[in-house]
Structure formats: structure tokens, C-alpha cells
Amino acid sequence: MKNNYKLIICLILSIFFSLGTVNAATIAIGDDSTTAGALNKSVSVELKDDDLSDFVKVEFELNVSGTTYATIKFSYNGNMSYTPNGNIYTIKSDTGLYASTIGEITYTTTADLNSNFTITPTNVKFYKADGSVYTTKDSNIKVDSGTIKYETPKSNDASLTSLSVTQGTTKWPLSPEFDSSVTEYIVNVKDTINTVKITANAASGATKTGTGNKTLVMGENTFEIVVTAEDGTTKKTYKVTINRGEVSEPSAYLKNLIINNIGCELSPAFDKLNNKYT
């Protein structure tokens, strides 16, 4: 009985070795995080799996899908022999392939790029020393595509799209009239106005500081509104000078101040902007 078991085991082993081992091989394209606009970048091309050594050659082509606005170029940088033939790339090693980075794909995109795209090895063929060929139709041959992720270019527009100075329902006119390309304005308000509100809107994606309620002193008041574009680096500063003073009647100013019949003078001399005297 024991001899029968041994015979069965030997038979199974002989069948296994006569079929040969099933080696696995993967050709993979590295992913790139983000890209936007016209760029020249690169991603890696790699051979993977621990049992590549039974294969002595790999052939492949490269395909770009998902966009018509990218072109690619393969550059070999490995230690195995390399032979290009048109769009077919051949990597060969008589002692067997091994896991490594075999090259770089440089991709060039145009400003029209507006979506993700992938780079995929196609028509992949792995060859063994006995001339047998394995393709992606075989379960042990795999292809990993690389996805190049598109990111919408960030705007460098640091402009305001509107600007106003108000108090309640009163809107004080800007001089000159608002224009996003003009960065300095003057506003004249009556002396009775001690607070105003500066309101502004920025370009899409941009942020602003310096708006809101403002307290005015008599005379000149200068406020700055800083706009930062969506790209986070481009900035533009708008300056609003608000003159609080007598610009129209009625006014809360005195026109003059005289103390009669006692032979004295004001100190300091009268000034409508000053309300303290000796």
C-alpha cells in the first residue's frame, strides 16, 4: 500500500514538472499626482513580480487614452538590452528579466488639457528562452496602467469685480468710477458721517481682506483692500481714501467763533475742524 502511495506521489510530481512552472510578469506605468496646462513631466515604466527570471524578453507598445492633448516619449534607462522598432519597445536579457524600473515616459500636454488621461502598455508579449510567448490573454501576465490626474489651473486674477462705500441706504460715489483695473479711489462724505461700510467682491476663486465697517476721523481716512488670487501668490491692493468733511449743506461745522466785549482771543486760532479752545 505504501508503495502505491509513493507511486502516486511520484506520478503527480512528474506531471507537474513536465508542465513547467507558471511564472508571473507585470509591466506597470507609474501614476502622476496632478498636472495642469502645458507641461513636460515623466512617469516610470517598471517590470514587477519575483519570478520574472524565466522570461528573457518583453515587447510592448504604449497608448494614451482619455485625451487628445498629450504626447508621450519612452526613454530606456535600465541595465538590460533595449531595441526600439517604431512604436514597439523590446527589453531583453539572456539571463532572464528581473524586477526593475526599465524606463521613463515623458509626456507633454497642451494648454487645452481638461481631463485625466492614462498611459497603458499594449500588445504586451513576454518570451521564454524556449521561444514560447505569453500575452495578457494568459492569467499570469498583467498590465498596470498609469493615470495622469488633471487639475484645473488656478486663476491668477487678483482683481475686484465691484466696490462700494455706503452708510445705511446711502451710497457714496467713488472717484473715479469703479473699474477693476483702477486701484486707487477717493470718496467724500459729510462731516456728520462717522462710520461707513466698504463692500467689495473679488474675482472667482480669489479672497479679499480689508472690507467691512469702518470708523472715520475728521479729514482723510485711508483703507486698503488686499485681493489674493486663487493661485495663492498673485496679489493686488486697492486703496480707498475717504475724506470726512464739509462737502454739502447742512453741516455740523461752526463757520466762526467769537467771544465779544471782553477783549480776548481764542487759543488756538479758530479752525472749523477743532472743537477745543482756551
Side-chain angles (χ1 to χ4, degrees):
M1 187 71 177
K2 289 183 179 179
N3 290 333
N4 289 338
Y5 283 134
K6 290 180 180 179
L7 181 62
I8 293 171
I9 292 172
C10 289
L11 182 61
I12 292 172
L13 290 175
S14 64
I15 293 173
F16 176 79
F17 286 112
S18 67
L19 292 174
T21 57
V22 178
N23 299 90
T26 300
I27 184 168
I29 308 297
D31 288 348
D32 184 57
S33 56
T34 55
T35 181
L39 291 174
N40 292 288
K41 284 190 174 182
S42 62
V43 289
S44 63
V45 184
E46 301 173 354
L47 291 179
K48 295 182 177 181
D49 292 328
D50 295 331
D51 49 358
L52 277 165
S53 59
D54 201 39
F55 298 104
V56 295
K57 184 172 69 171
V58 59
E59 290 180 352
F60 61 94
E61 298 177 41
L62 294 169
N63 178 64
V64 179
S65 61
T67 182
T68 58
Y69 304 114
T71 56
I72 62 173
K73 179 181 179 181
F74 175 75
S75 298
Y76 181 70
N77 60 6
N79 295 319
M80 294 171 277
S81 63
Y82 165 63
T83 305
N85 180 16
N87 294 325
I88 301 174
Y89 310 106
T90 302
I91 310 299
K92 184 178 179 181
S93 174
D94 292 335
T95 58
L97 303 178
Y98 51 87
S100 65
T101 298
I102 58 173
E104 299 288 328
I105 296 174
T106 301
Y107 61 85
T108 303
T109 64
T110 69
D112 298 322
L113 180 68
N114 58 8
S115 64
N116 294 351
F117 64 95
T118 60
I119 303 174
T120 305
T122 58
N123 298 325
V124 177
K125 297 177 182 178
F126 280 91
Y127 293 82
K128 288 191 174 183
D130 61 6
S132 56
V133 182
Y134 292 79
T135 69
T136 52
K137 293 180 180 180
D138 300 296
S139 60
N140 58 324
I141 303 299
K142 298 179 180 179
V143 167
D144 290 339
S145 300
T147 300
I148 312 302
K149 301 178 181 67
Y150 169 81
E151 182 181 80
T152 304
K154 296 185 184 302
S155 170
N156 62 355
D157 189 351
S159 300
L160 288 179
T161 57
S162 67
L163 176 64
S164 63
V165 177
T166 59
Q167 191 212 43
T169 59
T170 303
K171 184 176 181 179
W172 300 96
L174 302 174
S175 179
E177 292 185 3
F178 176 74
D179 184 315
S180 61
S181 63
V182 177
T183 57
E184 294 191 10
Y185 297 90
I186 295 174
V187 177
N188 295 314
V189 302
K190 293 190 293 185
D191 59 296
T192 53
I193 304 301
N194 57 12
T195 60
V196 294
K197 183 178 182 179
I198 298 178
T199 304
N201 291 310
S204 177
T207 59
K208 63 186 184 300
T209 60
T211 57
N213 295 322
K214 306 295 180 182
T215 300
L216 304 179
V217 299
M218 297 300 295
E220 185 177 287
N221 301 261
T222 300
F223 304 100
E224 290 187 345
I225 303 165
V226 179
V227 184
T228 303
E230 185 183 29
D231 64 11
T233 57
T234 308
K235 296 179 183 291
K236 184 184 289 187
T237 300
Y238 290 79
K239 185 168 74 172
V240 180
T241 300
I242 302 176
N243 296 316
R244 177 187 174 191
E246 184 180 350
V247 295
S248 62
E249 296 292 347
S251 171
Y253 287 136
L254 290 178
K255 290 186 176 180
N256 204 349
L257 177 61
I258 299 173
I259 301 177
N260 291 324
N261 301 324
I262 60 173
C264 65
E265 296 180 355
L266 296 177
S267 178
F270 175 74
D271 184 330
K272 66 180 180 179
L273 299 181
N274 182 30
N275 62 0
K276 293 183 180 181
Y277 298 93
T278 300

